mmCIF file of all heavy atoms in Angstrom:
data_model
loop_
_atom_site.group_PDB
_atom_site.id
_atom_site.type_symbol
_atom_site.label_atom_id
_atom_site.label_comp_id
_atom_site.label_asym_id
_atom_site.label_seq_id
_atom_site.Cartn_x
_atom_site.Cartn_y
_atom_site.Cartn_z
ATOM 1 N N LEU A 105 -56.899 -1.031 -35.428
ATOM 2 C CA LEU A 105 -56.684 -1.960 -36.543
ATOM 3 C C LEU A 105 -57.961 -2.767 -36.801
ATOM 4 O O LEU A 105 -58.382 -2.920 -37.953
ATOM 5 C CB LEU A 105 -55.509 -2.902 -36.250
ATOM 6 C CG LEU A 105 -55.293 -4.004 -37.282
ATOM 7 C CD1 LEU A 105 -55.012 -3.428 -38.673
ATOM 8 C CD2 LEU A 105 -54.166 -4.932 -36.841
ATOM 9 N N GLU A 111 -64.169 -1.746 -41.317
ATOM 10 C CA GLU A 111 -64.590 -0.765 -42.320
ATOM 11 C C GLU A 111 -64.546 -1.362 -43.726
ATOM 12 O O GLU A 111 -65.327 -0.972 -44.592
ATOM 13 C CB GLU A 111 -63.679 0.467 -42.286
ATOM 14 C CG GLU A 111 -63.942 1.397 -41.145
ATOM 15 C CD GLU A 111 -62.959 2.562 -41.084
ATOM 16 O OE1 GLU A 111 -61.868 2.491 -41.687
ATOM 17 O OE2 GLU A 111 -63.299 3.553 -40.422
ATOM 18 N N MET A 120 -81.542 2.092 -41.038
ATOM 19 C CA MET A 120 -82.411 1.649 -39.939
ATOM 20 C C MET A 120 -83.813 2.241 -39.974
ATOM 21 O O MET A 120 -84.761 1.621 -39.500
ATOM 22 C CB MET A 120 -81.772 2.007 -38.585
ATOM 23 C CG MET A 120 -80.541 1.218 -38.269
ATOM 24 S SD MET A 120 -79.892 1.620 -36.631
ATOM 25 C CE MET A 120 -79.229 3.259 -36.918
ATOM 26 N N TYR A 139 -82.548 -2.156 -30.112
ATOM 27 C CA TYR A 139 -81.424 -2.149 -31.049
ATOM 28 C C TYR A 139 -81.100 -3.558 -31.531
ATOM 29 O O TYR A 139 -80.737 -3.743 -32.689
ATOM 30 C CB TYR A 139 -80.188 -1.436 -30.475
ATOM 31 C CG TYR A 139 -79.706 -1.915 -29.141
ATOM 32 C CD1 TYR A 139 -78.914 -3.036 -29.020
ATOM 33 C CD2 TYR A 139 -80.048 -1.219 -27.983
ATOM 34 C CE1 TYR A 139 -78.460 -3.465 -27.794
ATOM 35 C CE2 TYR A 139 -79.610 -1.648 -26.748
ATOM 36 C CZ TYR A 139 -78.809 -2.771 -26.663
ATOM 37 O OH TYR A 139 -78.372 -3.199 -25.439
ATOM 38 N N CYS A 141 -83.367 -5.850 -31.853
ATOM 39 C CA CYS A 141 -84.519 -6.202 -32.679
ATOM 40 C C CYS A 141 -84.444 -5.580 -34.071
ATOM 41 O O CYS A 141 -85.122 -6.048 -34.990
ATOM 42 C CB CYS A 141 -85.813 -5.826 -31.961
ATOM 43 S SG CYS A 141 -86.071 -6.849 -30.481
ATOM 44 N N VAL A 165 -86.467 -15.497 -29.132
ATOM 45 C CA VAL A 165 -87.058 -15.673 -30.465
ATOM 46 C C VAL A 165 -87.664 -17.062 -30.590
ATOM 47 O O VAL A 165 -88.793 -17.223 -31.064
ATOM 48 C CB VAL A 165 -86.006 -15.422 -31.568
ATOM 49 C CG1 VAL A 165 -86.484 -15.911 -32.925
ATOM 50 C CG2 VAL A 165 -85.643 -13.943 -31.634
ATOM 51 N N ALA A 174 -84.665 -18.345 -40.153
ATOM 52 C CA ALA A 174 -83.881 -19.231 -39.287
ATOM 53 C C ALA A 174 -83.015 -18.351 -38.414
ATOM 54 O O ALA A 174 -82.554 -17.295 -38.853
ATOM 55 C CB ALA A 174 -83.016 -20.175 -40.116
ATOM 56 N N LYS A 183 -71.146 -12.407 -21.891
ATOM 57 C CA LYS A 183 -72.487 -11.818 -21.884
ATOM 58 C C LYS A 183 -72.366 -10.307 -21.955
ATOM 59 O O LYS A 183 -71.603 -9.704 -21.213
ATOM 60 C CB LYS A 183 -73.221 -12.214 -20.609
ATOM 61 C CG LYS A 183 -73.337 -13.713 -20.429
ATOM 62 C CD LYS A 183 -74.688 -14.179 -20.836
ATOM 63 C CE LYS A 183 -74.884 -15.621 -20.449
ATOM 64 N NZ LYS A 183 -74.855 -16.552 -21.501
#
Side-chain angles (χ1 to χ4, degrees):
L105 174 60
E111 284 176 341
M120 291 183 288
Y139 53 81
C141 293
V165 166
K183 302 260 189 253

